[in-house]
Amino acid sequence: MAEDIYDVVVLGGGAGGAPAAIRAAQLKGRVAIIECENLGGQCMNKGCIPFGHMMVASNILRSLSLGKEMGLTFNGISKDYTILKKRQDELISFMREGVRGTLRKNGVEIFEGRGRIVEKGKLAVNGKIISYKNIILATGAQWMQPGFEGGDLAEVVNSDYLLNTEKIPKKALLFGRSPWLIEIAQFLNRFGSQAIIATQDETILSGETKTITSRLRKVIKNEGIVIKTKAEIVSVSKKRDGLHVDLSSKDGGETFVVDRIITLERGASLKDLGLKKINIKEDSQYLKVNNKMETGIEGVYAIGDLTEPQPSHYSHLAFQKGITAAENAMGKDAAINPRTFTRILFTQPEVACVGLTPKEAKNAGHDVVVGAAPFGMNPYGMILSEDEGIVEVVAEKKYGEILGVHFIGTAASEMVGQAVLAIQTEVTIDELSRVPFPHPTLSESLAEAAADALGKPIYLP
Amino acid sequence: MAEDIYDVVVLGGGAGGAPAAIRAAQLKGRVAIIECENLGGQCMNKGCIPFGHMMVASNILRSLSLGKEMGLTFNGISKDYTILKKRQDELISFMREGVRGTLRKNGVEIFEGRGRIVEKGKLAVNGKIISYKNIILATGAQWMQPGFEGGDLAEVVNSDYLLNTEKIPKKALLFGRSPWLIEIAQFLNRFGSQAIIATQDETILSGETKTITSRLRKVIKNEGIVIKTKAEIVSVSKKRDGLHVDLSSKDGGETFVVDRIITLERGASLKDLGLKKINIKEDSQYLKVNNKMETGIEGVYAIGDLTEPQPSHYSHLAFQKGITAAENAMGKDAAINPRTFTRILFTQPEVACVGLTPKEAKNAGHDVVVGAAPFGMNPYGMILSEDEGIVEVVAEKKYGEILGVHFIGTAASEMVGQAVLAIQTEVTIDELSRVPFPHPTLSESLAEAAADALGKPIYLP
């Protein structure tokens, strides 16, 4: 009997690992994937999908205010969190089985168990040793234990809590350094909870443009969500009336009394994988890889949250890295283009940004032109009352290279694809200004922002 | 005193004329625009904007069914058409003033009155004669008198009726050859009216793919809207219980009793413009122009609905033609690319198509590959219950040129911009399959459909 030798073994069946396995199999490799928890990983089971689902529900509630302006009045709205949760659990199971089916259809062998490297080219799983030529490490990230005093109390939870409870907390403090604090705050708020965002960063949207950040902050504040920046939890103690949180922030020291603290800090999952056997340190914060997903050790690739600090824990990045690693493991020469990586938020208004901010572009030495088109001046934007929406385009002056595009507003997450495509295929700002987007759409503002950068907008004052 | 000689006179201040005037002025021309009714034209005053507004309201009502699946229950929904109309009238006034302001800011002289060519290079308006070097004809289209017996009854109206009434009809028959019949039917239906679509075409969406057409038809039928194809009104008579409409259709002869017949037939506005003086026949159905918007008569350009049969009466086409005519009138060498022209509908699900259908592509002699990705298999599509959504990509086999992209589903009108950009900048199907669209979005299905056309989708079974 021939020895079990795989061309590619993928350790982790999440947003990066599953497509990596499929692509390697499409390239005629013999492929195995190993998952110790749930196929689909964090994104599908506990991240983008359930929280995307909650945001859709939350945004339906938001659309009622536009409806009211239009003569549609709704009385007696009831919100049943158990129905919402049941629907999303069903969706997730369905999607998970979809991933399993697609892996199988492509001929990928699935091992449901914990994989551990035992020596170079050999891995133990479910009591069996399997051999491989290439391994793709895709084990993602895991929750970090909070470092503050009282962080071990049962009322200090992470976002998984919202997926397991039957009832949302009455008052919650959301703590960490993640943009997803804002999504959760908006969801809780619309479902009747009182939310406090306590971000460790300088702003609620660290890394995005001033315009986008201030417009989102304004909406959130108007909804009654409290925002604390440069926040640190000094200590937490449990009292009769709830958790007492001593918080230091830009505004000084304050005490909040809440039901729950929801923290969102994650770090690379590197432990107990046997990485020492292939000379990888288990105490690294994240694994360093190049644009080909190579770790520097022959036949060892790494992708996904394992290779990125938390603000970049996006599954579309893991997906691209997965495809790239698989192609390279199968002898191709693929590389990711970090310029096309999108940061998105399913808040209302949505946020979707790709590439450099004007400040980053200047710091990188570019001669920069910037154009913007507010959705409040776009006909469809006026229909939708998109007072906070805008698109900003950042380009290099001489050759018109598009360096960054920043959206806030309805459908931003779908529109940003236009910018991703433009950056990937090196469309110039002049070409972008001439794209005949259909009317009436918000997308028209992208061409108008590009025309604004060139000094010849049609409908901007 | 110097004679008033304009570099460019634009006859008609609508979706094509206004941007034409602005672009000509940006190119340092002395420019006048002449409008006899309302700046903004049909689109802004009586077309895309008010009907887009109504469709947004109608789609908020539709989103309640998704809300219900998610545990959000609404009782006692009241619909006040007068509030809806008031809001949209205010929006339109605001937009109209916006157009006026932008024209002025760019130095365009505005004549509000009826313009008439009196001889080559001279035009009369408001009792004054003005001279021009170039003229851009942009007078659009106008309602046609129905040709059937009883077509002159007061209850036989066009879509303007819905903008002027305080109350929608209880039962309406929508007649013509226009895709907009479907938008109106859905709006009326959601606002409590009973709608019958009687299209003269073979299908409700003549010219679109079978998939898109059948998916839209299914949704409409399920909503209780009656559809009659290959329909002709034999005669209409007014009786005590309403209008009796004798209709012949694919299904044979039937009589419907309704409150109103809404017809949607428009033809080019060519009369009383003095076109004879410059050797243009006033009885032409549409003015023929080339891709540079030249009429064949020196210094005379024509754009917009004046130059297109009704299924192409889209304001974004008029806009592109306007910009092109203006640039050429000012000595540039511009041309429109008809391949990037989008057909969109704000139904729910939305429809947005650009380029060739597979059938058209084959008939044009292309070796065709087709790929498709249903939104029911897209994670965000599952969240949104996008059972009817799909994207289809049509490409040329050898070089991978993208020939057409066809969307049905939420945000189709915003997503289609990705396809427009791809076709404009000659992105290949392989490049399209590799666009790292953010997750979870419907746009991901565009890359997946492209990968499907290449035989290597990741998540399609």
Side-chain angles (χ1 to χ4, degrees):
Chain A
M1 200 177 119
E3 200 195 350
D4 278 356
I5 297 192
Y6 293 90
D7 296 299
V8 179
V9 163
V10 183
L11 197 55
I22 293 167
R23 177 56 50 91
Q26 284 177 345
L27 294 169
K28 315 285 181 207
R30 184 175 176 201
V31 183
I33 194 165
I34 301 170
E35 171 59 51
C36 67
E37 206 175 333
N38 282 313
L39 284 171
Q42 172 71 15
C43 163
M44 184 176 290
N45 295 283
K46 297 175 181 176
C48 326
I49 297 304
F51 285 94
H53 187 258
M54 291 186 216
M55 292 317 291
V56 167
S58 139
N59 292 340
I60 289 175
L61 291 174
R62 172 59 169 61
S63 73
L64 303 183
S65 67
L66 177 59
K68 201 175 171 187
E69 287 182 46
M70 291 177 154
L72 304 171
T73 317
F74 306 92
N75 302 311
I77 300 158
S78 75
K79 303 165 195 174
D80 189 332
Y81 188 60
T82 55
I83 293 178
L84 182 76
K85 264 198 67 229
K86 186 164 175 279
R87 182 181 193 265
Q88 90 190 11
D89 288 347
E90 285 166 2
L91 273 177
I92 291 166
S93 303
F94 182 77
M95 287 183 201
R96 209 187 283 144
E97 290 316 302
V99 172
R100 188 188 309 278
T102 324
L103 285 165
R104 283 209 180 121
K105 186 212 127 203
N106 281 279
V108 175
E109 288 173 64
I110 304 170
F111 291 89
E112 298 192 67
R114 185 165 283 279
R116 193 183 157 88
I117 296 165
V118 289
E119 64 183 83
K120 196 185 162 205
K122 289 198 190 296
L123 191 138
V125 59
N126 297 346
K128 190 182 167 187
I129 302 292
I130 61 176
S131 300
Y132 59 82
K133 293 178 193 160
N134 298 280
I135 188 165
I136 298 175
L137 303 172
T139 52
Q142 62 195 20
W143 293 114
M144 305 287 273
Q145 186 59 34
F148 51 80
E149 194 192 318
D152 54 351
L153 285 165
E155 289 78 9
V156 179
V157 295
N158 55 51
S159 62
D160 290 355
Y161 165 76
L162 290 170
L163 308 177
N164 298 320
T165 184
E166 290 298 308
K167 226 167 79 169
I168 61 168
K170 278 188 193 146
K171 197 165 178 179
L173 185 134
L174 311 173
F175 178 70
R177 204 179 276 281
S178 158
W180 295 291
L181 296 170
I182 313 169
E183 282 191 4
I184 297 179
Q186 252 189 351
F187 169 76
L188 289 176
N189 189 264
R190 301 247 174 86
F191 272 77
S193 183
Q194 230 184 310
I196 299 147
I197 297 174
T199 175
Q200 292 172 284
D201 282 324
E202 298 239 348
T203 71
I204 51 159
L205 263 187
S206 180
E208 304 305 347
T209 71
K210 274 187 186 172
T211 314
I212 303 283
T213 307
S214 66
R215 284 174 179 235
L216 188 61
R217 188 175 50 228
K218 188 179 157 195
V219 172
I220 291 169
K221 278 201 164 175
N222 284 346
E223 288 184 347
I225 295 167
V226 172
I227 301 168
K228 297 289 162 188
T229 56
K230 281 185 154 182
E232 289 299 339
I233 293 179
V234 180
S235 69
V236 180
S237 56
K238 198 176 166 176
K239 297 195 177 163
R240 225 175 174 168
D241 56 345
L243 283 191
H244 283 233
V245 190
D246 284 339
L247 194 84
S248 77
S249 77
K250 214 172 172 180
D251 303 329
E254 280 164 285
T255 301
F256 291 95
V257 183
V258 298
D259 303 329
R260 289 284 182 287
I261 295 173
I262 301 176
T263 68
L264 284 190
E265 203 186 348
R266 291 173 71 80
S269 288
L270 288 166
K271 297 260 184 278
D272 302 325
L273 304 175
L275 293 179
K276 273 184 213 158
K277 306 277 182 185
I278 51 170
N279 296 319
I280 292 177
K281 286 182 188 163
E282 290 187 18
D283 57 357
S284 337
Q285 182 63 349
Y286 292 98
L287 283 193
K288 284 220 169 67
V289 289
N290 62 14
N291 279 355
K292 299 178 171 202
M293 305 303 110
E294 295 165 339
T295 56
I297 300 162
E298 212 200 320
V300 181
Y301 300 84
I303 64 170
D305 294 355
L306 191 67
T307 63
E308 292 283 349
Q310 192 173 19
S312 299
H313 286 183
Y314 284 97
S315 74
H316 44 278
L317 184 57
F319 181 97
Q320 290 303 318
K321 288 186 161 189
I323 298 289
T324 302
E327 292 181 343
N328 290 332
M330 291 303 296
K332 303 239 171 212
D333 184 24
I336 65 154
N337 175 1
R339 279 279 181 83
T340 57
F341 163 58
T342 318
R343 293 94 61 190
I344 65 169
L345 274 187
F346 287 95
T347 42
Q348 180 132 0
E350 289 182 8
V351 174
C353 304
V354 57
L356 306 177
T357 63
K359 196 177 164 189
E360 286 168 342
K362 278 172 205 156
N363 289 346
H366 293 288
D367 192 3
V368 172
V369 287
V370 178
F375 294 164
M377 280 165 178
N378 165 303
Y380 205 57
M382 292 182 205
I383 290 177
L384 296 172
S385 283
E386 282 281 329
D387 304 328
E388 301 307 334
I390 195 167
V391 50
E392 300 173 286
V393 175
V394 185
E396 186 274 333
K397 200 168 184 176
K398 195 169 174 193
Y399 300 105
E401 183 189 5
I402 298 164
L403 301 170
V405 182
H406 311 273
F407 288 95
I408 183 167
T410 298
S413 61
E414 301 294 354
M415 279 189 285
V416 77
Q418 295 155 0
V420 174
L421 177 62
I423 291 174
Q424 174 181 298
T425 59
E426 298 181 2
V427 166
T428 65
I429 187 96
D430 184 62
E431 287 173 308
L432 188 60
S433 76
R434 288 171 177 276
V435 181
F437 291 112
H439 176 80
T441 61
L442 296 174
S443 303
E444 292 176 277
S445 289
L446 177 56
E448 191 77 337
D452 183 49
L454 296 167
K456 49 169 194 182
I458 292 292
Y459 283 127
L460 292 176
Chain B
M1 200 180 122
E3 200 194 350
D4 277 357
I5 298 193
Y6 292 89
D7 295 300
V8 179
V9 164
V10 182
L11 197 54
I22 293 167
R23 177 55 51 90
Q26 284 177 345
L27 294 170
K28 316 284 181 209
R30 184 175 176 201
V31 183
I33 194 165
I34 301 171
E35 171 58 50
C36 66
E37 207 176 332
N38 282 314
L39 285 171
Q42 172 72 13
C43 163
M44 184 176 290
N45 295 284
K46 297 175 181 175
C48 326
I49 297 306
F51 286 94
H53 187 260
M54 291 186 218
M55 293 316 292
V56 167
S58 139
N59 292 341
I60 289 175
L61 291 174
R62 172 59 170 61
S63 73
L64 303 182
S65 67
L66 177 60
K68 202 176 170 187
E69 286 182 44
M70 291 178 153
L72 304 172
T73 317
F74 306 92
N75 301 311
I77 300 157
S78 73
K79 303 165 193 174
D80 190 332
Y81 188 61
T82 55
I83 294 178
L84 182 75
K85 266 197 65 230
K86 185 164 176 279
R87 182 180 193 265
Q88 91 190 9
D89 289 346
E90 285 166 3
L91 274 177
I92 291 167
S93 304
F94 183 76
M95 287 183 201
R96 208 188 284 145
E97 290 316 302
V99 172
R100 188 189 309 277
T102 323
L103 285 165
R104 283 208 180 120
K105 185 213 129 204
N106 281 278
V108 175
E109 287 172 65
I110 304 170
F111 291 90
E112 298 193 67
R114 185 167 283 279
R116 192 184 158 87
I117 296 165
V118 289
E119 65 183 84
K120 196 183 162 209
K122 287 197 190 299
L123 191 140
V125 59
N126 299 343
K128 189 183 167 187
I129 302 292
I130 61 176
S131 300
Y132 60 82
K133 293 179 194 163
N134 298 279
I135 188 164
I136 298 176
L137 303 172
T139 51
Q142 63 195 19
W143 292 114
M144 307 286 274
Q145 185 60 33
F148 50 80
E149 193 194 317
D152 53 349
L153 285 165
E155 288 80 6
V156 178
V157 296
N158 54 51
S159 63
D160 290 354
Y161 165 77
L162 290 170
L163 308 176
N164 298 320
T165 184
E166 289 300 309
K167 223 165 81 169
I168 61 168
K170 276 188 193 146
K171 197 165 177 178
L173 186 133
L174 311 172
F175 179 71
R177 203 179 274 283
S178 157
W180 294 292
L181 296 171
I182 314 169
E183 281 191 6
I184 297 179
Q186 253 191 349
F187 169 76
L188 289 176
N189 188 263
R190 302 245 175 86
F191 271 77
S193 183
Q194 229 183 310
I196 300 148
I197 298 175
T199 174
Q200 292 172 282
D201 281 324
E202 299 240 347
T203 70
I204 51 160
L205 262 187
S206 180
E208 303 305 347
T209 71
K210 274 186 185 174
T211 313
I212 303 282
T213 307
S214 66
R215 285 174 178 235
L216 188 61
R217 188 176 49 228
K218 189 179 157 196
V219 172
I220 291 169
K221 278 200 164 175
N222 285 345
E223 288 184 348
I225 294 167
V226 174
I227 302 169
K228 297 290 161 187
T229 55
K230 280 185 154 182
E232 289 299 339
I233 293 178
V234 180
S235 70
V236 180
S237 56
K238 195 176 167 176
K239 296 195 179 163
R240 223 173 177 172
D241 56 346
L243 283 191
H244 284 233
V245 190
D246 283 339
L247 194 83
S248 77
S249 78
K250 215 173 172 178
D251 302 331
E254 280 165 285
T255 301
F256 291 94
V257 183
V258 297
D259 303 330
R260 289 285 184 286
I261 295 173
I262 301 177
T263 69
L264 284 190
E265 202 186 348
R266 291 173 72 79
S269 289
L270 288 165
K271 297 258 184 279
D272 303 325
L273 304 174
L275 294 180
K276 274 183 214 160
K277 305 278 183 186
I278 52 170
N279 296 319
I280 292 178
K281 285 182 189 163
E282 289 186 19
D283 58 358
S284 337
Q285 182 62 348
Y286 291 99
L287 283 193
K288 285 219 169 66
V289 288
N290 62 12
N291 278 355
K292 298 178 170 202
M293 303 304 111
E294 294 163 340
T295 56
I297 300 163
E298 213 201 319
V300 181
Y301 299 84
I303 64 170
D305 294 354
L306 190 66
T307 63
E308 291 283 349
Q310 191 173 18
S312 299
H313 286 183
Y314 283 98
S315 73
H316 44 279
L317 185 56
F319 180 97
Q320 290 303 319
K321 288 186 161 187
I323 298 289
T324 303
E327 291 180 346
N328 291 331
M330 290 303 297
K332 303 240 171 213
D333 184 25
I336 64 154
N337 175 2
R339 280 278 181 83
T340 57
F341 162 57
T342 318
R343 293 94 59 191
I344 65 169
L345 274 187
F346 286 95
T347 41
Q348 178 131 359
E350 288 182 10
V351 173
C353 304
V354 57
L356 306 178
T357 63
K359 196 176 162 187
E360 287 169 340
K362 279 172 205 156
N363 289 346
H366 292 287
D367 193 4
V368 172
V369 287
V370 178
F375 294 165
M377 282 167 176
N378 165 303
Y380 205 57
M382 294 182 205
I383 290 176
L384 296 174
S385 282
E386 283 281 330
D387 304 327
E388 302 306 333
I390 194 168
V391 52
E392 299 173 287
V393 175
V394 185
E396 187 275 332
K397 200 167 183 176
K398 195 168 174 192
Y399 300 106
E401 183 190 3
I402 298 164
L403 302 171
V405 182
H406 311 273
F407 288 95
I408 184 167
T410 299
S413 60
E414 301 295 354
M415 278 189 284
V416 76
Q418 294 155 359
V420 174
L421 177 62
I423 292 175
Q424 174 181 298
T425 59
E426 297 180 2
V427 166
T428 65
I429 188 97
D430 184 63
E431 287 173 307
L432 187 60
S433 76
R434 290 171 176 275
V435 180
F437 291 112
H439 177 79
T441 61
L442 296 174
S443 304
E444 292 176 278
S445 289
L446 177 57
E448 191 76 338
D452 182 49
L454 296 168
K456 50 168 196 183
I458 292 294
Y459 283 127
L460 293 177

